[in-house]
Amino acid sequence: MLRVVSWNINGIRSPLQGLACQEPSNRPTALRRVLDELDADIVCLQETKVTRDVLTEPLAIVEGYNSYFSFSRSRSGYSGVATFCKDSATPVAAEEGLSGVFATLNGDVGCYGNMDEFTQEELRVLDSEGRALLTQHKICTMEGKEKTLTLINVYCPHADPGKPERLTFKMRFYRLLQIRAEALLAAGSHVIILGDLNTAHRPIDHCDASSLECFEEDPGRKWMDGLLSNPGNEAGPYIGLFMDSYRYLHPKQQRAFTCWSVVSGARHLNYGSRLDYVLGDRALVIDTFQASFLLPEVMGSDHCPVGAVLNVSCVPAKQCPALCTRFLPEFAGTQLKILRFLVPLEQEPVREQPVLQPSHQIQAQKQPSKARMYSTRLRKSQGVPKRTQKNLMSYFQPSSNLSQTSDVELPLVDTLTNPKTAEEVTTATAVEKNKVPEAKDEKEVRTAFWKSMLSGPSPMPLCGGHREPCVMRTVKKAGPNFGRHFYMCARPRGPPSDPSSRCNFFLWGRPS
């Protein structure tokens, strides 16, 4: 059996943070535990968000696996895909990108198809974001036939509604992916496309498809219609060469989502969409796919892993392809060190002494010179006045009007020597009692003033649906309301029919 898993990991270091806290001194074990939890022969990761300059050896090389990375060349900490293969599933070839622009002709997959509709510059731009990685494996069927299987690990672009050029980029990337996959299929290889395609294909794959305008007319969905064929012998408009393995085995499964909004907490109520797929060519899916599954219980990203089990065995290659990270100079021990660029300076030869003297005589001659130097230093320092460190109290002087401003009244000498009469004592007591309310009123005024100044934020308003405290958000979309605060229901987003989900309460915050 061959088990493959795909996961948009949203940063390869993010899922390791919890495990790294438990094992702060053993971070390699954390990544190994993630791979072991996925329990797959081949693990394809998307959105790794690392570039080669920040890739560390513990992330690149894991015992028992050989890994392959594709990095974004346009932005740092963006996009990127990686494939980890167990040593028992070592590929015979590996290649970065779909177009062959970054091919090294050493262990590449090949079979590019007709790409005349693209310019060389366009191909380079499409592959410069590190969105595709190919590994080719030898597999053996249950009948004992040896065949070739090519896995295309992809992280397809997201089309931002505010950036129409990204929709064009996405559709061109889709076109390039289809040309390459169909060319590999025509060359005799079985093909699996797995990863984040960033499109929910059918209404059943989206939590709220009915509220979206022209759902079926979306360009990404139309492209998937042309890529995929209908499950089994089912009649329909889809006539492509590939099949959605999950819908082939679970055609009616509702709420089978793989991606949720983190901001709205939609995962809590499973209110998301299915963007992650394991697609295979029609013959491969029908003949060898035993299972296709989702792993929503695996946390660490806004996506969950998806995978499939094939009724084939993998024949490992004797040697890893040249793209394997263990062959990178920084990990193979062949990278030049900075010391290689430094040349030691030639020291001047030491002048020989004309007359050899015993060592005790030389020391005897040196001692007077040290004494003279010491005495010279003493004489020089005799004329310099000694500097002493100032005390902090030297910066403070007693106030000249202390007796006028001090709140503490010292008793006079004559009052100590001449005691007051009973009448004078009664009068003084009455005066003191009159002063106490005045001081108390003044203290209360000061307390009220500071409470008004330091009262903190005002209490959150209550939402209309549940009468619960709201949560404050900030508008981040460019426009006239950019930066404004507003209040909304704090509950997670879910189906409108679910009373435990977020209500429609909305309130603008007061301008600061």
Side-chain angles (χ1 to χ4, degrees), residues 8 35 63 123 146 172 209 211 236 248 251 273 300 304-305 378 380 446 459-460:
N8 181 322
L35 296 175
E63 185 180 357
L123 292 175
E146 190 171 292
R172 296 297 282 171
S211 67
Y248 172 70
S273 55
C304 78
L378 287 177
K380 287 181 179 179
R446 290 180 178 177
M460 290 289 178

Side-chain angles (χ1 to χ4, degrees), residues 279-495:
L279 312 178
D281 64 84
R282 187 181 180 88
L284 183 70
V285 172
I286 294 174
D287 296 339
T288 67
F289 271 62
Q290 299 297 307
S292 186
F293 54 86
L294 316 179
L295 298 175
E297 68 278 4
V298 178
M299 309 302 287
S301 171
D302 55 341
H303 292 246
C304 78
V306 301
V309 178
L310 285 71
N311 191 20
V312 299
S313 60
C314 197
V315 180
K318 295 181 179 179
Q319 186 178 0
C320 298
L323 190 64
C324 183
T325 50
R326 68 178 59 169
F327 298 138
L328 294 177
E330 53 265 40
F331 303 132
T334 58
Q335 188 175 25
L336 294 176
K337 307 294 183 182
I338 193 171
L339 293 177
R340 296 281 299 274
F341 298 94
L342 302 179
V343 180
L345 294 174
E346 295 183 0
Q347 297 182 355
E348 296 182 0
V350 181
R351 297 180 181 177
E352 298 182 356
Q353 296 181 0
V355 181
L356 297 177
Q357 297 179 357
S359 60
H360 68 274
Q361 293 183 5
I362 296 174
Q363 292 178 0
Q365 292 176 1
K366 289 181 179 179
Q367 288 177 357
S369 62
K370 288 183 179 180
R372 286 195 298 271
M373 290 172 63
Y374 183 73
S375 61
T376 305
R377 290 174 184 170
L378 287 177
R379 284 195 298 271
K380 287 181 179 179
S381 62
Q382 285 176 0
V384 180
K386 186 177 179 182
R387 296 183 61 183
T388 58
Q389 186 175 5
K390 290 187 177 182
N391 193 310
L392 182 63
M393 297 302 297
S394 64
Y395 293 94
F396 297 91
Q397 295 180 359
S399 177
S400 58
N401 55 352
L402 181 62
S403 58
Q404 299 176 7
T405 61
S406 176
D407 294 330
V408 181
E409 295 182 3
L410 298 176
L412 299 176
V413 177
D414 59 344
T415 60
L416 293 174
T417 55
N418 302 324
K420 294 183 180 179
T421 62
E423 222 176 86
E424 292 173 342
V425 171
T426 305
T427 306
T429 304
V431 172
E432 290 295 330
K433 287 183 179 180
N434 292 333
K435 289 183 179 180
V436 170
E438 294 178 3
K440 188 176 181 181
D441 292 343
E442 185 178 355
K443 184 178 180 181
E444 290 178 352
V445 169
R446 290 180 178 177
T447 303
F449 169 75
W450 286 113
K451 280 185 177 181
S452 64
M453 292 292 294
L454 306 175
S455 60
S458 56
M460 290 289 178
L462 303 180
C463 67
H466 311 98
R467 305 305 298 169
E468 296 175 353
C470 292
V471 63
M472 186 176 70
R473 303 291 187 197
T474 305
V475 178
K476 296 183 179 180
K477 186 177 181 180
N481 293 322
F482 179 78
R484 286 190 65 182
H485 300 298
F486 61 92
Y487 300 96
M488 61 189 302
C489 180
R491 291 199 179 192
R493 189 181 178 190

Side-chain angles (χ1 to χ4, degrees), residues 135-148:
T135 55
Q136 196 166 73
H137 307 259
K138 291 295 181 181
I139 59 173
C140 185
T141 64
M142 292 297 101
E143 295 80 18
K145 296 181 180 179
E146 190 171 292
K147 297 185 177 181
T148 302

Side-chain angles (χ1 to χ4, degrees), residues 31-210:
L31 179 56
R32 178 61 186 268
R33 285 180 61 184
V34 170
L35 296 175
D36 289 346
E37 184 180 356
L38 297 177
D39 189 26
D41 299 291
I42 303 172
V43 178
C44 297
L45 304 177
Q46 300 88 41
E47 205 171 0
T48 56
K49 295 183 179 180
V50 292
T51 46
R52 182 171 172 177
D53 59 324
V54 298
L55 182 66
T56 59
E57 187 170 344
L59 294 177
I61 300 176
V62 181
E63 185 180 357
Y65 292 82
N66 48 91
S67 62
Y68 308 85
F69 279 76
S70 178
F71 310 103
S72 173
R73 290 168 167 80
S74 57
R75 288 170 56 184
S76 179
Y78 174 73
S79 189
V81 293
T83 300
F84 286 81
C85 304
K86 280 186 177 179
D87 291 339
S88 58
T90 301
V92 296
E95 184 181 328
E96 182 183 4
L98 297 171
S99 65
V101 171
F102 300 124
T104 59
L105 302 178
N106 184 12
D108 293 327
V109 174
C111 302
Y112 301 102
N114 185 3
M115 299 183 180
D116 292 343
E117 60 186 271
F118 298 92
T119 64
Q120 281 298 114
E121 180 61 27
E122 189 177 9
L123 292 175
R124 182 173 294 275
V125 170
L126 288 171
D127 270 345
S128 66
E129 293 187 357
R131 294 185 175 274
L133 189 63
L134 283 72
T135 55
Q136 196 166 73
H137 307 259
K138 291 295 181 181
I139 59 173
C140 185
T141 64
M142 292 297 101
E143 295 80 18
K145 296 181 180 179
E146 190 171 292
K147 297 185 177 181
T148 302
L149 172 64
T150 304
L151 268 72
I152 306 180
N153 177 8
V154 290
Y155 172 45
C156 296
H158 169 68
D160 190 338
K163 297 179 179 179
E165 69 277 5
R166 291 303 292 177
L167 177 59
T168 303
F169 183 90
K170 178 178 181 176
M171 298 312 300
R172 296 297 282 171
F173 185 88
Y174 276 160
R175 177 60 181 156
L176 181 61
L177 171 61
Q178 184 172 358
I179 290 175
R180 184 69 188 274
E182 292 178 352
L184 287 163
L185 194 60
S189 172
H190 286 298
V191 178
I192 291 179
I193 303 172
L194 72 170
D196 179 4
L197 298 188
N198 252 318
T199 295
H201 184 205
R202 300 179 180 177
I204 194 176
D205 300 320
H206 198 284
C207 62
D208 196 16
S210 59

